[in-house]
Amino acid sequence: MLVKNVFRQNSFYTALYQMIPDNHILKQIDSAIDLSFVNDLL
């Protein structure tokens, strides 16, 4: 049986984001407010 090794590297920012607890105020704000329009403006 052949097994294909797949290496996936998370970005530095993804690793930092995962270290923040789910009940942190900034994560709660991020889930409540959609700021995606800012990318279009910039």
Side-chain angles (χ1 to χ4, degrees):
M1 179 165 87
L2 296 176
V3 177
K4 184 177 181 181
N5 290 333
V6 177
F7 178 71
R8 295 183 185 170
Q9 181 178 0
N10 290 334
S11 71
F12 177 71
Y13 300 106
T14 302
L16 284 178
Y17 189 78
Q18 291 174 347
M19 293 175 66
I20 301 170
D22 289 334
N23 63 348
H24 192 277
I25 186 68
L26 293 178
K27 275 197 173 181
Q28 292 173 358
I29 292 171
D30 184 44
S31 66
I33 299 174
D34 180 22
L35 297 174
S36 61
F37 69 92
V38 175
N39 288 332
D40 295 334
L41 295 175
L42 296 175

